Each structure stands twice: as C-alpha cells, then as structure tokens.
C-alpha cells in the first residue's frame, strides 16, 4: 500500500500497487524476474496487522467514543460503530475494493473490474514495495478492508448523542462511495492522482484522518449542537472505558501504520518505533500543556494526546526518525489542544468527541510535519537531494485537495441524507437518550 | 418549619436549583429515584426477552425550609420544574419538628 | 415516635452507625445522596469543557425511633458525624404516626 | 393525607407495586437503599482483607395517599412484601400537609 | 489440524495429522523427502493464533457472558470461565493431548502414549497440510490446548445464574474426558472416525460449537429455568462489557479459524477474509431481521449476529468464497434468530445466554452450509467433481453423530454430577446472587 | 535478549547481546560467517511481541490495578500508568537504551554511546541467540523499550490511593536511571555483571519483577498506610475491570516471555507452552488453597494466582518443562498467598495492590525455582552436567544482589523525591479521592 508515498523514500520499491500474479508467465513478459516470492513472515505480519485494525474499530474506537458520551447514549455509539464496520465490509467485497483498487488507469476511480472480488483466487498475489516480493491478494484486500471499515466510523464522534441511526448508516455508505474510495484510489493506487504527485502518506493520514476529520466538522455544523450544549453537564460517563478504548487504539494502530509497510522487514520496525515514541511524545506534550494552562494533567488529556500523536505519525512513520517522531507528536498535541480547548469554544460548533479537533487537525499537522521531519538533517531517512520546501508544497497540495473534496462532497451527502431520512432525532429522544428509543435497550442494569 | 419533598424530571434539576437559589434557599438534598405514575415507562428487548419497565428516572429533592417561605419555595419548584407534559412530578409538604446543624449544633430555623 | 433524617459525610457513616448501635438503635435505612449547601462543589474539565459541580456526595440516614430516645439519637448523630468543617450536614426530625414490621405485622414502637 | 414510606426486599418490588395497583394507587417513588437491622449482612474477602458488610440492599417506596385508603395501602404492602423471613422491612406513616402536581398546579388529594 | 476436513479440499496436503519427527532419518524411510521445513513465519502465526484463542476465552467469552448476567452473578461467570480454562490446560498436559492426539490408531481414542506429554522435546515436530512443512509439536499442543480450554466454557452460559461452581468444574473435566477429547480425535486425528468419513470442518464447528451447544441445551433443561424466569427483569447488567467481549471474540476467532490452517500462506488468508465478511454479513442479517420484526436494531442483536456468523463460518472458512461467506453468515443469523426469539420461548427452556440457540444452531447451519457454499459454482474452492448433495449427506451424518454422542453423554454426566455435588445452588443463594455466597466477593463497589 | 541467561541453556547461542551490523565486513573479521540472516518470521513475531508488552501496560496493568482501587482513585492509577509508559519511552530514546545497551564494557553501565539512538539506522542489526541470525536493531530497541515502560509502572500499586502524581513521575525517572537501566545492563548485556555470573533469567524475572517488587515494598513502607487502612471498607471498585486487566496481562505476557527468545522457533514454543500452563497451575493452586483456608475460591484469588504464576515462570520459561511449569506455578501461588494474606497483615505494611506480595515474592520463587526445575530429571532441558545446587546458589546470589541494589537505591530515591515534591497527598485529598483534586476529573457519571 501507499506505494506512491513511498516511491521517493525507497527508490527500489516497485511502483506497482496491486498486481494479480495469477498467471506467472504474464509477469515474465515484462521483466523476466525470478518467480515472485511470498514470504510466510510477511503473511504472518500482515494477517496480524489486519486483526489489529479490526481491533481498533471494535472494541477500540467504540469504547473510546462510548466512554465519552453519557450513559444514555453509549449503546448508540457502540451500535453505530459495529454497524458501520459490518456494512463497509460487505460494501468492500461488493464494489469498494473494485472502486479503489479495481485496476483501471483513471486517476480517481478504480473501475468495475473487481466487483464481488471477481477474478481473485488463492493464487492471486499483490505487489509490495520490494520488487519481486508479493503477498496473497486476499490478504491485501482484507488489510485494506479494515481501513475502509474504520474510517467512516471515526466521523460519528462529531455528532454523537443526537444523530439518527439510519442517517449514520446511509451517510457512511454514500461517503465511502463518493469520498473514501476515490481518495483511497487517488493516494494509494499506482495510477492515483495524489500518488503520482509524490505526496508522502505512509499509512493514510490523508485518506483516513483528514478525510474523516473534515467530514466530521461539516457534519457537526450541519446537524447542530446537542440540546443543552454549553449549559448541561455532559461529562464522559466512563473514563475507564475511554482509556481502554484509547489503549486498544494505540495497540491496534501498529497494524495500521506498520502493516502499511506490507512487509515484515527493517522498514517496518522503523514505522513501529516511530508509532511508539511519537505517541509517547504526544502524551507528554498534552499533559504538559494542560499542566501549564490549567494546573492539572487530566487522564482524558493524556488519552487525547495519545490519539493526536497516533494521527500525526500516521503519514510520517516510514520516513522520519524516532527523535523527530517525539517532536512531531508533541507538536501535534500542542496544536490539537488549541483547537479542542479554544477554537471549538470560540466558534461554537459542537464537535462532540473532537473528531475534527484531533483527527482533522492532527492529520494536517502530520501531513505537513512529514515534509519537515523526513529530512536527513532532522533525523529522517531522506538524503541530500531532498528539499523540505518542495515536499512541503506537495504535502500542502495533497491536504488542500483532500479537504476540498471531502468538505464539499460531505456537505452534499449530509444534505441528501437529511432529505431522505433526516439527520437528527426528535428532541424528546435526545433528552431521554438514544439507546432505548432507537435500539430498545438500556446499557446498564443492576 | 416544613420538610418539602419534590419529585421532578432529572433534566429540570439545574433550573429548579437556580430558582430556589433565587429565593435564597441553598440547602438541598438530592436523590436519584425511579417514579411510577401516569407517565408510562418503556419496553426493552434483549434477544428473546421483552421487559416492560414501568419506572421512569426521576430526581427527588428534599429541603427543610422555614414556614415563612414554604409557599414561595413550592411555587418556585412548581414553576421551574414544569414542562407541562405528563410526568412532571409532585411536591409534598410535611411538618418538620426540629432541625440540627451537625457542624455547630445549632437548632431550629438557624440550622436550615 | 419520631422519624429522624440525617444527612452526613459519607466517610462518617460507620462511626455514626456505631454510635447509634451504642444506644441500642439498630434499624437504619441509608441512601446515597448529593447535597447542596454552604460547602462548595468542585470543577471538572474535560478537554474544552468545564463543569462546575455544585453537589457534594452525602449519605442520608433515616431512622424511626421511639420518642423517648429521640434526643439521645440526635445527639449521638451530631457528635459522631461532626468534623467541624463545613458540610457536616443536618439532622431533621419529623413526626411519625405509625410503624409496621412487614414480617410480623407488629405496629407502633414494637415495630421499630 | 399520609406520606407512607416502606422499606422492602428488592425482589418484592414488583409484587408490591401490583398489589398497590390493585388498590388504584399508581403514584410511587422508589429509591435503592441499604438497610441495617436484625438481618445480618455478609462478609467479603479480598486477598488479605476481610470486610464485614453490615448493610443489606433494600428498596424504599414513598407514596402519598389519601387518608381514606392509607390503611388499605399499608395492609397491601405488608401482605405483598412479606416473606416471613428476617429483613422483610418496615412501613412508616407520616402526616402529609400538602401535595402539588407540578404539571397542573393542582393541590391536595387531587394531586396524588 | 483438521487434516481430514481438508483432504478433499487440497489434494496435495499430507493426510498425516500429527507426526513427531524427533529423529529425522525415521521419516526418510518412508518417503525420502527433503528434510522437513519449519518456517519461522508459520511459527510466528501459529503462536499468535494460540494467543488469540486464549484471548477469546479470557477475557473475551468471560465478558461476553459476564455482561449478559445480572450484576450479582457476574463474578460467578468470570470465575467459572477462568477456572475451566485453567483446569483444562492442566488436564490437557496430563492426559487430554494424549487422549485426543496420542498416536493410537483407534478411531475414537488417541491412547495413553503421550500422557504428561511424554516424549515431546524441542525437536519434536508436527505435520501440517503441506507435505514436508512442519511446526514444533509444542506449538501444535499449545494451539490445540487453547481449543480444549475454551470449549467447555462455552457451555456454562446456558445455565448461568443458578449452577453450582463445583458442579461446573466437575462437569467440565468429565465432559472433556468423555465428549471433547473423543470427538476431537474423531474429527481431527488422521485415524479419527469422522476424519475418515470426509467431513469438512475447517476449524472445529462440530467439535467445538455443536458439541458445546448440545451439551448446553441438555444442561439447561436438566437444571431447570432460573427463579423468576419469564417474570422478573433479567436484563443484561452491562451491554458495554458484552460488546467488549463479543469484539474480542471476533478478533480472537481468527486465531481459531485461520490458525487451523497451520500455515501462514494463501489458504490462511482465504480463511481470514471469510471470517471477516461472514461475520459482517451475519451482523447485517440479524439487525435487518430485528428491524423488520421489531422495528429496532439492537446492539445485543448485532453482537449476537456477530457470534452466530463466527460460529457458522468456522467449519466453512477454508473452502468457501467471500460472497458465499456473507450469505452463510446472514443465513446463520436468520436461523439463530428464530431459535433465540421464538423456539426458546415456545418450548420454555431457559438457555440463559443462548448457547444452544447460537452455538448449537449456528454450528449446525455452518456444518450443512459448508457443503453448499464450498461448491465452485457458488464461489467455493471445490472443483467439478464436487457434489453438494453427497457432501451434504456426509456433513449431516457428522452432525448427527456429534449431536447424539454429546447429547447422550452430557445427560449422563450432568446426572452424575448432580448426584455427587448437586447441580444447582440453593434458592436463597440464587435470589441473593451467586457472587457473594459462592466466591465471597461482590463485583462492584463505589 | 537475556543472552547471559541463556548461555548455559543453549551452548550454541551466540554470546553477543547487541551488535550493530551496520558494516557487515566488520563482523567478517571475527568469524567469517555467512552474511547474517534477518528472517521475516522472526521480525513478525518480535513486532507482535513488542505490541503484546505494550498491551500489558495499557490497558492491561492499568485496568488490573485500576479495578482494585476505589472508584474515587481509578483515574489516578490509569493516569500514572499512562504517564510512566510515555515518559519511559522518551527517556529510553534519549538515554535509557544507551545506559542499558550502549555498548560499553563496564559491567554496570552501558555508556553514552547511543544517546538519542545515535548511529542506529535501517541497516543496524542486533544479534539473537543463534549465531548468524539477526533482527533489526530498531526492533530490539523497541522490544526492550516496552520492558522499560512497564516496569516502573508495576511499582505504583504498592502505594496507590495516596501518592502524589508528581512524585510518581519523578520517582519513575530516577528509579529507571539508577536502578532499572543498571540492572538491565547487569543481567542482559554481554558485559553485564550478572550475565557473566551465569544466572538464568529467561525473560527478566530479576530485572522486572524482583526489582519492582522490592522498590514497591520500600515505597509503601516509606509512604505509610492509607488513611483508614484496616478499618474502612476498601474493596475493589470493579472486579470485572480487574479481570479484564489480568487477562490482558496474561495474553500480553507471551510477548514478554516468548519474545525474549528473540526468534520464532521451537525454543519460543517451549517458552509459550510453559507460560500457558504455569499460569494455569498457579490459578488452580491459589483457588485450591483459598478453598481449603477460607472455604471459597474467589475470582480475585484466581486473578492473583494468574499473575503470581506469570511472574514465577518469567525467568524459567525457556529451560523447564511443562509439567515442571505447572508445579512451579502452583508453588508460587502457595507462597505468594502466604505473603499476601498473612505476612502483610502481620507486619502491617500497606502494600495496597500486593506488588511486593506477588511480583517481589513470586519473582524470587521463580528465580530460585528455575534452578530446580531446569534439571533434566525434573523435565527441564538441562543435561547431565547440570547441578541444581550450583545453579541455585548462582540464582540466589543474583536475587540478593538485585534485592540489595534496588532496596537501597529505591529508599534513597524515595527520600529525595519526598524532599523535592513530597510523596503523599494531603489528608483531605486522600479522603476525597485523588482523581478530582489531582486530575480535575471524575471517572464515572451517569
Ligand atoms: N402519590 C404519589 N406518591 C409518591 N410519588 C408520586 C405520587 N404520584 C406521583 N409520584 C411521583 O411523581 C412522578 C410523576 O407522576 P406522574 O403521575 O407520572 O405525572 P403527573 O404528575 O404529571 O401526572 C412519578 O413518577 C412518581 O415518582
Ligand atoms: N435546608 C436543608 N434541607 C435539606 N438538606 C439540607 C439543608 N441544608 C443542608 N442540607 C444538606 O446538608 C449538607 C451540608 O450542608 P452545608 O450547608 O454544606 O454545611 P453546614 O451544614 O456544615 O453549613 C448539604 O450538602 C445538604 O445535603
Ligand atoms: N427503625 C428503623 N428505622 C428505619 N429503617 C428501619 C428501621 N428498622 C428497620 N429498618 C429497615 O428495615 C429493614 C429490615 O429490618 P430488619 O430488622 O433487618 O428485619 P425485620 O424487620 O424483619 O426484623 C432494615 O434493613 C432497614 O432498612
């Protein structure tokens, strides 16, 4: 994955994103290489990575968000996350994989070639970044499927506690179709628009976090703030659940970031150490700022820093060094902190669980910071011919394109969903909590 | 002295407390309770099982007040606690014979 | 008979119960409540949101006692429940007309 | 009017509520409480630590009723709440001076 | 594992189930192959798989069940699960492994050859499905041990909230001895009765789920319904705990299903994608049916569908295709839904946490569905010589044999346990909850 | 890792602990071996192991401890664990790795050679126990970093519910610097003092558990018992959280123990089965003793046995057999039980979450038991030339040195921290609970 991203980082890597080697001679025509190698160690790691990303969604993200809402709404969060993951997996098999990686040479669309995974067999292989090294295509499909399953679920935190269940499900499918699959194709496919531009996005900061963060902002503005927002007590109903979720996100994120290396090699271990220490730096950063600003470091602050750091290191983890990673994490925390604690209150939008404030903002910090910290002089792996300024402009362009694409498209899709099923529950339901009216259940009994 | 017990809708607590504060009444003791009355409960399903929950979450306020302001207190609660919809709750007034402030040992109206 | 209601600091419960036990008073019903009074609450921060919590956790005791020992009961609670710091709570005494022991149907003082 | 307070075993709540429903009494407020009385508590162990828990979970009912049916209400609770075993609980009857329905402002018996 | 299952699926696979290559020349006599290969990637994946199955049991299953009971009984569930896992691991080392895989050529019994793992050393290797590829025998023992540890724990959900702790422990040991080990031998050992019959059971739908599901039904009927069943409120005390458990079961199930491939290769990745999408299909299925039937999709319903899908895909994951997997998952949800919400109420047994309704019924749907969806025409990997009808009859026979064996044996064992220690706690204890009287603890304090 | 430990266990293993093969010819001078081999299966397993150890800390340990305190203090535990992990990761990159494995030939100190990981690149490799087999140095750094991150967090359980947050953070950094890094160097580095002595400590029982357990004892004595200790009710506020934590510790511990093998081979699988069954033996042991002593087996007891067994098997898992492992686990439970339920009460120290009673005592039982059960006659892998007595004396010496070092140094450091920021919160804060006053949050709302 992320071949485009990686092209400049590792000149030896095959540019090809996903090739099916179902018939080996076919390949031989082009390069007469040795037979492509499928290493069982790569397969083991990529299978583990796929599970880790599932683990991020369920129960990771579900708990992280679920702990933050009031007890009367937790089931709605858990259910929305579960349902989005399930729907996206089915959609992925039916047309998502094809739309993103279906093999067309259009820069925005993967085509209809692999609807229902047609043509994929036990023998189909996908390329990695090392020439001649492949993994089973079923594995590539699975790994990518987990990304598609979690991304729309990130968005729901912004309008938690008031959105209609049917609206969430419908929006997710539409958004995946018109935003996620195209952007994934643009960034990760060898023919993709941003891929060709040379943007560095190791594990999907643009596709996943900026994409979801901006959609979240648009959504919470269009749906409007929660009843009683800014007046009623809306403290998280269970911070322990929230920390369980955040910790699982951290552990699972290694599937996301390190798995994006597609191979179990030294490059993977660099992505790993960076994903550890950027997060550590971000936790420290957030807690320090909070201590300076408020006199106390909160556990929710540490958890928020954790996520901010993970978001920021996502595009950068393959090309920067550990010391740079610590700095990038801390920087992301500082900037996200400002958005979450000042900008949001200033503008009055109710991004309930700070999806924009952390995923959107952290994603942008990460995308731009990648340009800076990838430089060899700052501990990155880029050599002498690397220009921070030039790369920064490429990263900025990728960010702007993504922000505009997802911003405009999300606004249109929210409007459509509003017209079809309505975005928001009735006021009495919001007061009572979404769980019983929408799902017929109550989370806690004695 | 009167002992006023009021059962209200949970989300009205803050408004009622403010209304009472406006009368200079500070001392209140609050309990989370479940109420049964005209307001219907709801139904929950858990796989094959269906449960009718006939109790609704409410908040109970208790406050000991001087005779003199009892009526104002009742009025304040009634106004602030009202939504006009079924289940708004009740106010009950009981006679109070004695009050003691534990910290100081003060008694009577001085202890309220 | 008197119906004594006392609101105390939670960590004082055990001491008060023992003090009452010393008087031979066994029957008590206890509820976790939140109190509002002179004692200030606290402030909580959750990312951008700051909440002022004006209620403080308290424990409410209810005990029906014979007229004869009511004063001793009040005194015992007041002494055992006291820390001398704001928020120690209150004792309220209400008239009690009747008491029934459910198990036996006994009534009046015999039921306490 | 009377203010009836009953402390019962938690698993008897539904039966008692039904018995009261049979008398046409609908309005009830219920609180989860802990009781201390003749019924012993239990002992808990956590590694090296042993704790004696002297309180037992109970449910407290409060209902304001018209004088006329007070006795029937008490009887109904006593019968439905009885298991015959220690810890069945108590019923207390207090005088009630006033009742107000928050929704309508009705007072007195009309408010019950 | 599951060699028998796989024989027809992959004709190249070695039929041998477990061979110890402690002396390599010994092997040379038979086939003069190259020295058997132990690939570190296989070892890495199988170690990961073993952990995933442990994770399923603790805390996965414990929480899934624990969240569903009332707060006064949660510790009893957590404790029963923990104790069963621990007892079974010790029993496995002492005689379980030997009884199941001890090397005898009896079709029902593995023999006494490996009591206390005698003869197993660092050099002992077990065969996989690929000729010449081996894994360390300690690893095969460990992987299989985790299956033995979780299976009896599945059963306890059927008579939760009223069974005696001592009865659970005693029953589990007896049941493992007289039901689980024999059936495991029958299905998975090269000499096993069902193995030779040609039943397809990739990861143990028969051995684990049907086996446990039927024992559960027998148990809950013999123990009788909970006091107040059908009258008192018995809602789950914590649905969030339940979803944490269900999600962990999903994640861990990949150890179960994909690990059963014994190798980290393309076949493993097919099992993996199927385990993803069947579950997704089942979640959607259950939620859709619930929406149609009741007007609301519940979170517990989604979690129930999740488990039903996982159960159903267990035997099928190695031989069907992803689209078939989605269909099989949805089908399992539909049928389990009927059992859980109609059949159970109709017959009045109190299968408290729906072990029969989901594991038993889902397991049977999966076993039979495997015959159908394995066909190439339906996306499976079976070729032209495959007959759905013939395979269906084999699967049905395997199901019937298992149902009868476990049904009869379980009834006898429950009776014996009843005579020795009694099955059910005293009525007052049931009212008070099992935790304090049985374990001296209470789950939650402030 | 643990080369020293392993030297006698596997004579073939390379003694070298951490060598950077950045220039391959440099190595050629010594042995003219074939080019060192980095196997992707090893990398996959070691990456997984690193994540498992992170998972132990967050949320494993955090929940295990967090569930055991009162609700008013849970956030303080979660926050301390999170903050220690984050701080230690940053410290590790800055100087920790260098102090422990910086390449100096001092027996107590790794030197300043690798401050800020200087000189480490994508090409740097670290040796394993098999000659010629290497793993990327970034991976070795990461794996070791997770050990450094969790160890100081173990200590905090001893003085939970009363210690100052700032004191915990400051103490952790000092303790890591003056106790953990030196002891890690002594035990694991090829030039380390205990390494050369021949002590067997496969996965760090000395460095991690005895080290932390003794520091914990010193800490809780110096800080003094909790207000109301022995009088007030201090029951765990959520045993389910505690069991989630314990189970995650079990699962994660395989990263710890099996990862310490550095390779994904048969030796790893022995460590794995031992880590399974010793824990099972310990669970049974604790529950049995409790049943005999008190008449009831508690869930907290089973969880405590779980941890005691894991601690005890840590040094032993590479050299003993599964039956010995069961016995060692049961033995550890028996002895820990005595400390936790009798010794502690007798001496009156308030080791709140039994860090000394389980990690310290269990660690010592494990270190000494390793000497016994490693003997071939008792199922271990040691040959005829192995002397239990001689090894026992070596183990005892290693234990004593560690106890003295950590005991004295910890006492001094606690004193220093007390002088700088104070160890204990004010009495009113202790009554109110640490969460709101220290972190500005409350764990649970409705
Ligand atoms: N007679 C009563 N005694 C005690 N509590 C009552 C009584 N009647 C009502 N309540 C309390 O007041 C709440 C609201 O009463 P309900 O009959 O639902 O609404 P409304 O007063 O608007 O008709 C009930 O849920 C219950 O808690
Ligand atoms: N008038 C009152 N009616 C009911 N409860 C009261 C009243 N005044 C005080 N309380 C209860 O007593 C608690 C302690 O009162 P507070 O004014 O804080 O302290 P103090 O009595 O020491 O001045 C309050 O939190 C509240 O629960
Ligand atoms: N005098 C009392 N005042 C208040 N509550 C009481 C009193 N006596 C008993 N109770 C409540 O009634 C419950 C049952 O009382 P107990 O003495 O255990 O049983 P019994 O009434 O059957 O003898 C107690 O747990 C307590 O909650």
């Amino acid at each position: 994955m992320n071949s485009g991203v990686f092209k400049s980082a590792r000149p030896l890597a095959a540019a090809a994103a996903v090739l099916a080697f179902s018939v080996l001679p076919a390949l031989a025509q082009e390069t007469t290489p040795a037979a492509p190698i499928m290493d069982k160690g790569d397969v083991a790691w990529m299978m583990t990575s796929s599970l880790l990303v599932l683990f991020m969604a369920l129960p990771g993200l579900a708990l992280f968000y679920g702990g933050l809402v009031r007890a009367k709404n937790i089931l709605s969060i858990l259910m929305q996350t579960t349902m989005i993951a399930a729907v996206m997996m089915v959609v992925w098999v039916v047309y998502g994989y094809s739309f993103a990686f279906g093999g067309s040479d259009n820069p925005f669309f993967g085509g209809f070639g692999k609807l229902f995974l047609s043509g994929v067999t036990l023998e189909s292989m996908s390329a990695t970044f090392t020439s001649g090294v492949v993994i089973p295509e079923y594995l590539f499909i699975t790994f990518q499927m987990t990304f598609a399953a979690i991304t729309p679920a990130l968005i729901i935190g912004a309008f938690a506690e008031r959105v209609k269940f049917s609206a969430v499900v419908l929006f997710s499918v539409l958004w995946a179709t018109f935003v996620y699959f195209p952007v994934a194709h643009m960034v990760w496919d060898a023919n993709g628009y941003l891929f060709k531009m040379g943007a560095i996005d190791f594990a999907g900061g643009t596709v996943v976090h900026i994409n979801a963060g901006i959609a979240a902002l648009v959504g919470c503005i269009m749906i409007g703030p929660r009843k009683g927002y800014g007046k009623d007590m809306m403290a998280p109903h269970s911070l322990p659940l929230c920390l369980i979720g955040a910790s699982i996100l951290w552990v699972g994120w290694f599937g996301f970031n390190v798995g994006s290396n597609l191979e179990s090699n030294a490059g993977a271990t660099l992505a790993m150490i960076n994903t550890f220490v950027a997060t550590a730096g971000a936790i420290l950063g957030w807690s320090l700022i909070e201590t300076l600003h408020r006199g106390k470091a909160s556990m929710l602050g540490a958890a928020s820093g954790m996520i901010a750091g993970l978001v920021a290191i996502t595009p950068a983890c393959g090309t920067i060094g550990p010391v740079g990673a610590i700095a990038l994490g801390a920087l992301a925390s500082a900037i996200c902190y400002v958005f979450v604690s000042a900008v949001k209150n200033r503008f009055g939008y109710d991004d309930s669980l700070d999806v924009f404030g952390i995923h959107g903002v952290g994603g942008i910090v990460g995308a731009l910071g990648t340009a800076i910290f990838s430089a060899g002089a700052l501990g990155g792996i880029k050599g002498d011919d690397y220009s921070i300024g030039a790369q920064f402009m490429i990263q900025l362009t990728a960010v702007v394109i993504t922000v505009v694409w997802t911003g405009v498209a999300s606004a249109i899709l929210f409007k459509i969903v509003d017209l079809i099923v309505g975005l928001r529950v009735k006021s009495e339901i919001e007061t009572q909590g979404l769980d019983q009216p929408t799902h017929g259940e109550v989370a806690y009994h004695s | 002295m009167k002992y006023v017990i009021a059962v209200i809708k949970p989300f009205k607590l803050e408004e009622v407390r403010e209304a009472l504060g406006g009368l200079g009444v500070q001392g209140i003791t609050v309990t989370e309770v479940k109420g049964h009355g005209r307001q219907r409960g709801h139904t929950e399903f858990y796989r094959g099982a269906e449960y009718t929950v006939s109790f609704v979450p409410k908040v109970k306020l208790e406050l000991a007040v001087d005779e003199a302001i009892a009526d104002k207190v009742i009025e304040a609660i009634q106004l602030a606690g009202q939504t006009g919809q079924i289940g708004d709750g009740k106010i009950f007034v009981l006679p109070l014979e004695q009050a003691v402030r534990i910290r100081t040992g003060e008694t009577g109206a001085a202890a309220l």
Side-chain angles (χ1 to χ4, degrees), chain A, chain B:
Chain A
M1 196 173 45
N2 315 352
S3 327
V5 163
F6 227 23
K7 211 171 33 177
S8 44
R10 299 201 202 153
L12 297 176
V18 186
L19 294 170
F21 295 96
S22 29
V23 201
L24 294 181
L27 189 76
Q29 295 168 353
E30 290 158 271
T31 52
T32 44
I37 294 164
M38 184 205 82
D39 189 286
K40 285 175 161 183
D42 288 340
V43 176
W45 174 248
M46 291 307 298
M47 292 201 294
T48 302
S49 290
S50 304
L51 299 191
L52 287 169
V53 185
L54 171 64
F55 197 37
M56 285 178 74
L58 291 173
L61 182 67
L63 293 178
F64 180 61
Y65 280 178
L68 289 176
V69 298
R70 288 166 287 176
K72 63 187 179 181
N73 292 316
I74 177 172
L75 296 181
S76 75
I77 290 289
L78 302 184
M79 183 63 176
Q80 288 169 24
T81 312
T82 306
M83 197 50 54
I84 288 173
V87 170
M88 289 308 300
M89 288 179 195
V90 171
V91 165
W92 185 252
V93 167
V94 175
Y95 65 84
Y97 179 63
S98 190
F99 281 18
F101 300 102
S104 97
D105 44 20
N106 183 297
F108 304 100
F109 180 58
F112 299 104
K114 297 200 169 173
L115 294 184
F116 291 96
L117 308 187
S118 81
V120 180
T121 71
L122 278 171
E123 282 74 36
S124 320
M125 296 285 151
S126 295
T128 66
F129 302 106
T130 302
S131 173
V133 175
V134 295
I135 57 171
E137 188 171 1
Y138 275 135
L139 185 49
F140 181 77
I141 297 170
T142 301
F143 182 63
Q144 278 288 350
M145 176 171 70
T146 60
F147 279 56
I150 195 176
T151 306
L154 292 173
I155 304 173
I156 64 167
F159 34 75
E161 310 201 288
R162 57 198 185 279
V163 74
K164 262 195 184 168
F165 179 59
S166 54
V168 162
V169 177
L170 180 56
F171 175 78
S172 297
V173 173
L174 292 174
W175 188 82
T177 308
F178 295 103
V179 181
Y180 184 81
F181 301 148
V183 175
H185 181 82
M186 279 158 73
V187 173
W188 286 326
D189 194 272
N191 295 307
Y193 186 73
L194 297 175
F195 175 99
K196 292 197 163 167
M197 215 170 72
I200 304 180
D201 185 2
F202 193 81
T206 322
V207 187
V208 175
H209 300 289
I210 301 181
N211 220 355
I214 299 297
L217 179 65
V218 171
C220 77
I221 292 172
M222 288 180 66
I223 293 183
R226 284 166 290 179
K227 237 177 105 175
Y229 177 61
K231 222 186 64 182
D232 294 358
M233 176 73 161
M234 293 181 171
H237 90 285
S238 174
L239 283 175
L241 279 192
C242 174
L243 184 78
I244 302 179
S247 303
I248 290 177
L249 283 169
W250 191 359
V251 171
W253 217 289
F254 290 93
F256 208 94
N257 281 6
V258 184
S260 292
N261 190 62
L262 297 182
E263 280 178 88
S264 174
N265 59 14
T269 68
L270 176 63
M272 178 166 276
I273 195 168
N274 282 336
T275 304
F276 266 98
V277 300
T279 312
I283 293 171
L284 290 192
W286 197 294
S287 297
L288 219 75
I289 294 166
E290 231 179 23
T291 306
L292 296 175
H293 183 209
R294 292 233 154 108
K296 287 173 189 176
S298 70
M299 205 224 67
L300 178 57
S304 306
M306 203 183 278
I307 307 304
L310 287 163
V311 167
I313 195 64
T314 296
C317 61
T319 52
I320 76 175
V323 178
I326 295 174
L328 179 61
L331 185 72
S333 270
I335 299 179
C336 290
Y337 184 83
V338 172
F339 271 80
V340 157
S341 70
V343 175
K344 183 169 77 165
N345 291 335
R346 179 68 160 275
F347 287 91
Y349 55 89
D350 179 14
D351 176 8
S352 311
L353 312 183
D354 292 311
V355 183
F356 169 67
I358 292 182
H359 292 271
V361 174
I364 294 171
V365 172
L368 302 180
T370 298
I372 300 168
F373 292 104
S374 293
L378 293 166
I381 68 168
K382 296 295 184 181
D384 290 346
D385 56 338
Y386 179 81
S387 152
I388 291 185
Q391 187 65 41
F392 193 90
M393 289 316 299
I394 296 177
Q395 301 292 102
L396 190 63
T397 313
V399 168
V400 171
I401 290 175
T402 308
V403 168
V404 172
W405 184 297
T406 182
V408 173
S410 299
I412 295 170
L413 297 177
F414 277 118
K415 192 72 215 165
I416 292 174
V417 171
D418 197 14
L419 292 173
I420 301 179
V421 297
L423 286 171
R424 192 164 181 147
V425 298
K426 274 189 279 184
S427 172
E428 307 88 80
I429 292 183
E430 199 178 331
T431 302
Q432 191 192 337
L434 275 56
D435 291 357
Q436 193 280 327
T438 307
H439 304 293
E441 301 160 307
V442 172
Y444 304 103
H445 292 87
S446 61
Chain B
M1 290 178 296
K2 299 294 175 195
Y3 199 77
V4 179
I5 299 176
V7 179
I8 60 171
K9 290 186 167 161
F11 68 93
K12 279 291 185 181
L13 175 59
E14 206 45 33
E15 270 171 72
V16 169
R17 195 186 62 74
E18 278 165 21
L20 290 169
L23 292 181
V25 172
Q26 242 194 349
I28 315 175
T29 299
V30 171
T31 316
E32 289 178 14
V33 299
K34 298 181 294 182
H36 187 268
R38 268 173 236 194
Q39 190 189 359
R40 293 177 347 112
H42 61 260
T43 304
E44 299 174 22
F45 295 98
Y46 299 96
R47 284 187 191 141
E50 179 175 341
Y51 302 108
T52 307
V53 176
S54 41
F55 290 97
V56 182
K58 299 280 170 194
V59 150
K60 186 175 79 171
L61 271 61
E62 290 167 83
L63 52 169
V65 295
D66 204 45
E67 206 109 20
I69 59 162
D71 285 346
K72 276 197 208 129
V73 161
I74 294 166
E75 201 193 334
I77 297 176
Q78 204 247 319
L79 290 178
Q82 203 177 33
T83 68
Q85 269 164 323
I86 219 160
D88 276 353
K90 303 279 159 83
I91 307 170
F92 304 114
V93 185
L94 282 72
L96 173 62
E97 295 183 351
Q98 179 58 294
V100 181
R101 186 188 307 277
I102 293 178
R103 172 164 50 95
T104 58
E106 285 163 283
T107 55
L112 298 181

